[in-house]
């Protein structure tokens, strides 16, 4: 397993480790192909400006829904079929050891499915291919930002600015205080505040299952 040591870390140190992992390169390559395709296609309209703004605006809610509904999915069986995705399994491992760097990243097999699915939607579900490519490119670039932010939070790089410090603190509360709150990763006080999972940390008890999702609690 690749881990960051407990030491002073600069952004350069963090970046050097970040680029050793496959999913950032997969996302950068996908973004590059989409960008080249969009530029080559041309035919820009106002929708190419509105689409990224709209997607970024709803991204905190999307993060919250994915985190709660997919990553924190409780395994269950329907007859002989056990429903438990790779994303959920790896996320439970991520909670067990938040400093295990490979587990910070989106699992690459799952990312392949995401890339294929979003690309298919971009090419088939929009009335104009150009808008579809803009849609996919925005998601691809956001996922690069998401991977970098999530990774950086789990390193020993210390926040130096208020906005990132709030994001850093928010996610660390989720991992080290109580897994039932603070679900956004790239923002703080957005979707969590809207959806009721942004309490005063001083009023929240530390969870005995924060490192062991879905395990029985002390109170049952």
């Amino acid at each position: 397993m690749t881990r960051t040591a407990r030491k002073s870390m600069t952004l350069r140190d963090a970046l050097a480790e970040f680029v050793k992992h496959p999913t950032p390169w997969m996302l950068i390559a996908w973004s590059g192909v989409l960008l080249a395709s969009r530029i080559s296609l041309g035919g820009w309209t106002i929708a190419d400006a509105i689409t990224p703004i709209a997607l970024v605006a709803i991204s905190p809610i999307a993060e919250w829904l994915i985190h709660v509904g997919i990553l924190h999915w409780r395994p269950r069986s329907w007859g002989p079929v056990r429903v438990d995705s790779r994303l959920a399994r790896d996320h439970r491992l991520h909670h067990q050891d938040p400093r295990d760097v490979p587990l910070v990243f989106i699992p690459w097999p799952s990312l392949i499915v995401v890339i294929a699915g979003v690309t298919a939607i971009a090419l088939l579900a929009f009335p104009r291919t150009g808008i579809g490519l803009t849609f996919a490119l925005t998601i691809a670039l956001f996922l690069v930002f998401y991977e970098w932010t999530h990774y950086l939070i789990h390193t020993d790089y210390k926040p130096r600015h208020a906005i990132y410090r709030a994001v850093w603190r928010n996610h660390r509360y989720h991992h080290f205080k109580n897994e039932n709150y603070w679900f956004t990763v790239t923002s703080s006080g957005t979707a969590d505040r809207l959806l009721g999972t942004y309490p005063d940390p001083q009023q929240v008890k530390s969870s005995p299952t924060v490192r062991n999702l879905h395990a029985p609690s002390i109170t049952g």
Side-chain angles (χ1 to χ4, degrees):
M1 294 185 296
T2 306
R3 295 172 182 266
T4 52
R6 291 185 178 276
K7 62 182 181 63
S8 176
M9 174 174 275
T10 66
L11 281 176
R12 180 176 294 182
D13 295 332
L15 182 61
E17 174 66 25
F18 183 72
V19 298
K20 294 178 182 178
H21 299 271
T23 54
W25 290 110
M26 292 168 66
L27 289 168
I28 290 169
W30 183 37
S31 299
V33 170
L34 291 170
L35 179 60
S37 299
R38 184 65 191 93
I39 292 173
S40 175
L41 186 63
W44 302 90
T45 69
I46 188 64
D48 289 290
I50 294 173
T51 298
I53 293 171
L55 288 173
V56 170
I58 67 171
S59 64
I61 294 176
E63 278 186 17
W64 193 98
L65 291 172
I66 291 169
H67 202 155
V68 173
I70 297 176
L71 302 184
H72 279 230
W73 171 267
R74 184 183 294 272
R76 63 201 68 183
S77 296
W78 291 331
V81 179
R82 181 172 173 81
V83 182
D84 189 20
S85 71
R86 169 71 180 269
L87 285 168
R89 294 195 304 272
D90 276 16
H91 194 70
R92 292 196 295 274
L93 294 175
H94 175 48
H95 268 267
Q96 288 176 19
D97 187 358
R99 291 185 59 81
D100 187 342
V101 174
L103 290 172
V104 170
F105 296 96
I106 300 168
W108 68 262
S110 301
L111 184 57
I112 289 175
V113 174
V114 171
I115 290 173
V118 172
T119 302
I121 291 170
L123 296 177
L124 300 175
F126 286 82
R128 291 179 52 249
T129 302
I131 299 303
L133 290 174
T134 298
F135 166 84
L137 177 60
T138 303
I139 291 175
L141 292 174
F142 181 81
L143 286 175
V144 174
F145 172 66
Y146 174 92
E147 287 284 76
W148 169 249
T149 303
H150 189 212
Y151 158 76
L152 195 63
I153 290 169
H154 285 277
T155 69
D156 290 310
Y157 176 75
K158 296 298 185 289
R160 297 184 180 181
H161 303 286
I163 293 176
Y164 175 63
R165 186 179 299 111
V167 171
W168 177 88
R169 185 182 299 114
N170 191 74
H171 193 60
R172 292 180 78 87
Y173 281 146
H174 176 75
H175 272 284
F176 298 107
K177 188 169 183 66
N178 195 305
E179 75 278 16
N180 298 304
Y181 303 101
W182 307 292
F183 288 105
T184 59
V185 175
T186 62
S187 64
S188 174
T190 53
D192 280 309
R193 190 186 300 275
L194 178 66
L195 297 169
T197 51
Y198 191 68
D200 178 352
Q202 302 303 317
Q203 303 300 317
V204 175
K205 292 183 179 180
S206 295
S207 169
T209 58
V210 72
R211 293 289 191 96
N212 191 7
L213 297 187
H214 312 313
S217 67
I218 294 174
T219 59

